[in-house]
Amino acid sequence: MAESGYGSETESDDPDVLVLRKGTHGIPIERYADALRERLPERTIRLARTPSEEREAIRTAEFVTGMVLEDDLLESAENLAVFACAYAGTGHLPLDRLEKRGVTVTNASGVHGPNIGEHVLGAILWSTRRFHVAARRQRRREWRHYQAYELKGSTVTVVGLGAIGRAVCTRLEPFDVETIGVRYSPEKGGPTDEVIGFEDGPFHEALARTDYLVLACPLTETTRGLVDREALMTIDPDATIVNIARGPVIDTDALVDALRSNWIRSAALDVTDPEPLPEDHSLWNFENVQITPHNAGHTPEYYERLADIVAENASRFDEDGLDGDLKNQVLP
C-alpha cells in the first residue's frame, strides 16, 4: 500500500483503502469512511462519491471496500488485490471472475450478531407473550385477558451456527431453554445442547420437538426450501418460526397453508419469498404473522463494527500483502 500523510486526500492520491459509494440501512456511507479513518490515521482512505470517481479511483486501487462490485467497475480495477465486501453475504458478487483474477474477497460476518440476535429474541417473546393479541385488543380498547406462554423449558432449534446463530444462542442462555443446532458439520459441535446435520431423519426428529425454529443459515442448495410442506407438517403444531435468513429457505405456499390450517402457532418473517412482499400477498393478512421489511440487520453500529474488521485487514495487507490470512476471508 502507498505511504501517505494523515488523512490527506486528493484526487491524485492512490488510496490505501478505496470506499465505494453505495451505503446501506439508510446510513450515509461517509460514516463508514470516517470510521476507517479513525482506525487507520496514517493511511489514505478515499470515498468515491460518484460513478466517475469510482471508475477513476479503482483503476489503481489495490484494497477496495463496498457493498457491491458491478461488472463494469471490475473491468476498470486493474490492480485490485482485495475486495472487502461490506455485507455478510457475497452471493451477489461476481465471485467467479474475482477468483479467476486472484482477488482476495472478505465479508462482514459478525457485524450483525448483536442486533439480529436481539431481533430474534424479540420475535420469540412477541409470540410467547402473544403481544400481537395485546396490540389488537388495545386498538379495540378491549380490557380482556388472553392466554400466553412461557419461554422457560421450551426447545429452540437454530438452523445455522455462524456468527448470527451463535449470537442468538448466547441471548437465549438466561431463559433456561433447550437448544438444538443444525449445521453442515455437526461433528464441530456448537453453543447448543445438541448439534445435528441437515439429513432428513435427524432434522425432522428435531422439528417434532421444536417450539421455536430460528432460521439463521445462508441460502444454498441444501437450505433452499428446507422448511417445506413435510417440515411444516412435522414441526410441533404449537411452534413459532422465525426467519432472518433468506426468504426461499421457507416454501412460502406451504407456509401459507400451514398458517391457514393451524399447523404452527405463528411466524416472524424478516425475509420473504418473494421480496419485497407484494401488497396483495396473503401473508399480510395473518394476525399471527409478524413481518418486518428485511430490517433485522439494521443497527446504528453497523459501520463501526464493519470498520473494525476492514481496518484490521487493511493493516494486515499493508504488512504482509496477500501472503498473510485476512479476517473473514471468502476467496481464495
Side-chain angles (χ1 to χ4, degrees), residues 29-45:
I29 192 65
E30 284 83 359
R31 293 188 190 177
Y32 179 32
D34 288 342
L36 288 170
R37 291 186 183 107
E38 289 175 5
R39 290 157 177 78
L40 299 168
E42 298 184 9
R43 308 285 191 271
T44 297
I45 312 299

Side-chain angles (χ1 to χ4, degrees), residues 14-56:
D14 287 338
D16 294 308
V17 178
L18 173 64
V19 181
L20 302 181
R21 63 194 169 95
K22 185 182 186 302
T24 190
H25 298 309
I27 307 173
I29 192 65
E30 284 83 359
R31 293 188 190 177
Y32 179 32
D34 288 342
L36 288 170
R37 291 186 183 107
E38 289 175 5
R39 290 157 177 78
L40 299 168
E42 298 184 9
R43 308 285 191 271
T44 297
I45 312 299
R46 180 173 178 183
L47 171 59
R49 289 300 285 116
T50 68
S52 59
E53 284 182 20
E54 284 184 335
R55 287 192 298 272
E56 178 62 27

Side-chain angles (χ1 to χ4, degrees), residues 3 46 50 61 72 117 133 180 189 195 199 240 263 283 295-296 323:
E3 294 295 328
R46 180 173 178 183
T50 68
D72 60 340
V133 176
I180 303 171
V195 181
E199 298 82 6
T240 291
W263 294 349
L283 278 174
N295 209 64
D323 293 332

Side-chain angles (χ1 to χ4, degrees), residues 185-329:
S185 304
E187 66 276 4
K188 292 182 179 179
T192 51
D193 297 307
E194 181 182 345
V195 181
I196 62 173
F198 282 95
E199 298 82 6
D200 284 348
F203 182 59
H204 285 162
E205 288 174 7
L207 289 180
R209 50 194 174 98
T210 293
D211 300 296
Y212 299 90
L213 176 64
V214 178
L215 302 172
C217 53
L219 180 62
T220 66
E221 288 306 308
T222 299
T223 61
R224 183 180 295 274
L226 178 71
V227 183
D228 57 10
R229 188 172 302 276
E230 290 298 320
L232 288 163
M233 291 178 66
T234 302
I235 198 169
D236 189 293
D238 210 23
T240 291
I241 297 173
V242 181
N243 189 8
I244 49 84
R246 289 292 183 267
V249 174
I250 300 178
D251 180 330
T252 301
D253 291 340
L255 176 63
V256 170
D257 288 344
L259 290 162
R260 285 176 174 159
S261 303
N262 294 317
W263 294 349
I264 59 173
R265 182 205 305 171
S266 57
L269 309 174
D270 189 57
V271 290
T272 59
D273 181 25
E275 187 175 311
L277 194 65
E279 292 182 10
D280 60 351
H281 201 283
S282 56
L283 278 174
W284 290 112
N285 300 322
F286 292 98
E287 291 188 339
N288 58 339
V289 174
Q290 180 193 70
I291 296 174
T292 49
H294 210 139
N295 209 64
H298 184 272
T299 169
E301 300 301 317
Y302 189 93
Y303 288 145
E304 295 295 323
R305 294 182 190 135
L306 175 62
D308 286 340
I309 297 169
V310 174
E312 180 180 339
N313 281 340
S315 296
R316 291 184 187 182
F317 178 69
D318 190 35
E319 294 170 3
D320 302 320
L322 294 180
D323 293 332
D325 290 333
L326 299 184
K327 189 174 183 180
N328 287 1
Q329 191 166 319

Side-chain angles (χ1 to χ4, degrees), residues 55-284:
R55 287 192 298 272
E56 178 62 27
I58 206 170
R59 282 194 309 106
T60 57
E62 293 183 282
F63 194 107
V64 177
T65 181
M67 309 291 165
V68 297
L69 184 61
E70 305 293 351
D71 285 341
D72 60 340
L73 199 57
L74 180 56
E75 287 292 335
S76 301
E78 299 173 5
N79 296 326
L80 183 62
V82 177
F83 182 71
C85 182
Y87 288 134
T90 57
H92 63 289
L93 297 177
L95 293 177
D96 290 343
R97 295 185 62 198
L98 288 164
E99 185 174 19
K100 288 178 181 177
R101 291 184 50 171
V103 176
T104 295
V105 177
T106 64
N107 68 11
S109 178
V111 169
H112 287 306
N115 47 291
I116 295 186
E118 291 173 7
H119 183 100
V120 169
L121 188 57
I124 288 175
L125 292 174
W126 162 84
S127 175
T128 302
R129 301 309 301 169
R130 300 186 73 201
F131 289 136
H132 54 294
V133 176
R136 182 172 70 247
R137 295 190 180 182
Q138 181 178 345
R139 287 193 301 270
R140 296 173 178 173
R141 301 183 183 185
E142 293 179 1
W143 186 270
R144 185 159 56 92
H145 291 287
Y146 59 90
Q147 293 184 335
Y149 301 86
E150 279 193 6
L151 182 54
K152 176 182 171 66
S154 299
T155 297
V156 183
T157 296
V158 180
V159 181
L161 294 180
I164 292 172
R166 294 195 303 271
V168 170
C169 293
T170 297
R171 282 153 183 77
L172 285 170
E173 287 177 3
F175 289 89
D176 193 18
V177 298
E178 291 292 320
T179 53
I180 303 171
V182 184
R183 65 185 307 175
Y184 288 104
S185 304
E187 66 276 4
K188 292 182 179 179
T192 51
D193 297 307
E194 181 182 345
V195 181
I196 62 173
F198 282 95
E199 298 82 6
D200 284 348
F203 182 59
H204 285 162
E205 288 174 7
L207 289 180
R209 50 194 174 98
T210 293
D211 300 296
Y212 299 90
L213 176 64
V214 178
L215 302 172
C217 53
L219 180 62
T220 66
E221 288 306 308
T222 299
T223 61
R224 183 180 295 274
L226 178 71
V227 183
D228 57 10
R229 188 172 302 276
E230 290 298 320
L232 288 163
M233 291 178 66
T234 302
I235 198 169
D236 189 293
D238 210 23
T240 291
I241 297 173
V242 181
N243 189 8
I244 49 84
R246 289 292 183 267
V249 174
I250 300 178
D251 180 330
T252 301
D253 291 340
L255 176 63
V256 170
D257 288 344
L259 290 162
R260 285 176 174 159
S261 303
N262 294 317
W263 294 349
I264 59 173
R265 182 205 305 171
S266 57
L269 309 174
D270 189 57
V271 290
T272 59
D273 181 25
E275 187 175 311
L277 194 65
E279 292 182 10
D280 60 351
H281 201 283
S282 56
L283 278 174
W284 290 112

